Amino acid sequence: MSNVLIVNMPKGGHACIGHNLKGLLEQKGHVVFLDEQTAPSDMASKYSSQDVDIVIENKAKDWAEIDDIVQFAKDKQVSQFLYVSSAGIYSPSEQLPYVESDKVKNSKAQGLVEKNLSESGLTFSCFRPMYIAGPTSSKRDYTDFFFDRMSRNQPIPIPGSGEQLTSVTDARDVSAMVAAAVGASGAANQIFNCVSPRFISFNGMAKACARAMGVDPATLSLVHYDPKKLPADVDSKKAFPFRNAHFIASPAKATSLLGWTCERDLDTILRESYESFQTRGEGSKEKSFSSDQVLLAAA
């Protein structure tokens, strides 16, 4: 068993990965240190007397944030360095789903981190999540966008035709893929799409959310708007929780090299997410949908 240091963001979209991962690795007998506060430059002094065999970095979004962690890992002579990147680094492509060899934007952010890790001399692995959901997820916009409106009989604004394909993965399955790489020889110097193998359209997502709520999808008011008709002061990228394009990737490589499988299907994710939505009392909270009027006007 190994001593594993997880450098985790304290909040935000990926924070849940480290929290889930800690439990998974401890169940396997590993000693896990979950660090969400220590500055990268202080890691060496904090863990100077502590054996660290594996570092999992789930916090940095650019090289300046991870450079000191990489040097710390080298000084500790770790056996593995695992980095949680993002599928958002893929360059637009006419061929989908994305595979790990597809072109990425490696001039900045996570793309540059991946590039530099591959040249660092460390035994590394990188993971590219997409849209993370489920009851343990840190970011609930991907499901609550629909639950909020449906629970109040509001129309659902959807960009374009609504037939754009996307992929939603449970946070626990994302963490399980990273856990599967710990100590796995097949993970050495590899990059993995950390996503569900199933895809769904925006229209399909709305209907699936309705079924999770016990609502007849036929009763929904899906309003398709044209993002190009939105006023200049409206950020179309923030108006809807998914990017307005086909955005899907294949996890086949992780299945082949790590033996990973996605255990939770979308219906399970949405059912459990709606239960969480109800437990949090979101359906009864006062919420404004005034910003939707701009979208609906662009239909």
Side-chain angles (χ1 to χ4, degrees):
M1 295 297 101
S2 302
N3 289 345
V4 182
L5 171 62
I6 301 174
V7 182
N8 202 53
M9 56 177 61
K11 59 182 180 180
H14 285 186
C16 56
I17 298 175
H19 299 155
N20 292 334
L21 191 54
K22 183 177 186 293
L24 290 172
L25 294 178
E26 287 177 339
Q27 288 174 16
K28 293 183 177 182
H30 298 288
V31 175
V32 182
F33 309 100
L34 181 68
D35 196 312
E36 297 182 322
Q37 302 297 331
T38 306
S41 58
D42 294 333
M43 284 290 178
S45 58
K46 179 171 181 177
Y47 296 97
S48 60
S49 60
Q50 179 64 59
D51 290 336
V52 176
D53 306 308
I54 297 171
V55 171
I56 301 176
E57 219 292 344
N58 182 44
K59 186 176 185 179
K61 292 186 178 180
D62 60 52
W63 185 249
E65 296 176 347
I66 199 174
D67 192 12
D68 287 331
I69 305 294
V70 170
Q71 187 57 54
F72 163 77
K74 288 181 177 180
D75 293 342
K76 286 292 188 179
Q77 298 182 330
V78 300
S79 60
Q80 284 182 290
F81 190 101
L82 311 184
Y83 172 62
V84 181
S85 181
S86 170
I89 67 173
Y90 281 115
S91 298
S93 175
E94 295 177 352
Q95 296 188 54
L96 297 172
Y98 287 111
V99 294
E100 291 84 353
S101 58
D102 285 337
K103 186 177 180 181
V104 300
K105 296 168 280 190
N106 62 6
S107 61
K108 60 181 180 179
Q110 291 102 326
L112 181 60
V113 173
E114 288 190 8
K115 177 178 180 294
N116 288 350
L117 280 177
S118 70
E119 301 169 352
S120 68
L122 291 169
T123 299
F124 77 97
S125 302
C126 296
F127 301 85
R128 295 172 178 169
M130 198 167 277
Y131 296 117
I132 304 173
T136 67
S137 174
S138 310
K139 185 176 181 179
R140 301 185 174 94
D141 297 7
Y142 308 127
T143 52
D144 281 11
F145 175 88
F146 299 98
F147 294 151
D148 276 334
R149 288 159 178 78
M150 292 177 190
S151 62
R152 297 170 176 82
N153 296 314
Q154 294 288 319
I156 315 298
I158 295 178
S161 68
E163 292 306 306
Q164 304 92 313
L165 294 176
T166 192
S167 177
V168 177
T169 311
D170 191 282
R172 293 163 292 185
D173 284 319
V174 171
S175 300
M177 183 186 292
V178 181
V182 172
S185 58
N189 303 320
Q190 299 292 336
I191 296 172
F192 301 99
N193 287 329
C194 202
V195 296
S196 166
R198 301 296 301 274
F199 317 132
I200 192 167
S201 68
F202 297 164
N203 293 336
M205 184 70 176
K207 294 173 184 177
C209 285
R211 287 192 292 270
M213 298 175 65
V215 173
D216 182 355
T219 66
L220 297 178
S221 173
L222 304 184
V223 180
H224 298 94
Y225 65 90
D226 185 351
K228 294 181 180 179
K229 292 184 179 180
L230 295 176
D233 61 345
V234 175
D235 188 346
S236 61
K237 293 182 179 179
K238 294 182 179 179
F240 189 71
F242 301 99
R243 62 180 62 193
N244 182 27
H246 293 309
F247 188 45
I248 54 179
S250 169
K253 185 177 179 181
T255 299
S256 174
L257 296 183
L258 304 179
W260 175 86
T261 57
C262 193
E263 293 187 2
R264 299 162 185 88
D265 61 18
L266 184 60
D267 288 340
T268 299
I269 294 172
L270 296 181
R271 184 181 67 253
E272 293 183 347
S273 294
Y274 183 56
E275 290 172 356
S276 172
F277 179 88
Q278 291 179 300
T279 299
R280 289 180 278 119
E282 297 295 332
S284 60
K285 293 179 180 178
E286 185 175 342
K287 296 189 178 183
S288 171
F289 300 99
S290 58
S291 60
D292 283 5
Q293 297 308 310
V294 178
L295 307 181
L296 300 175

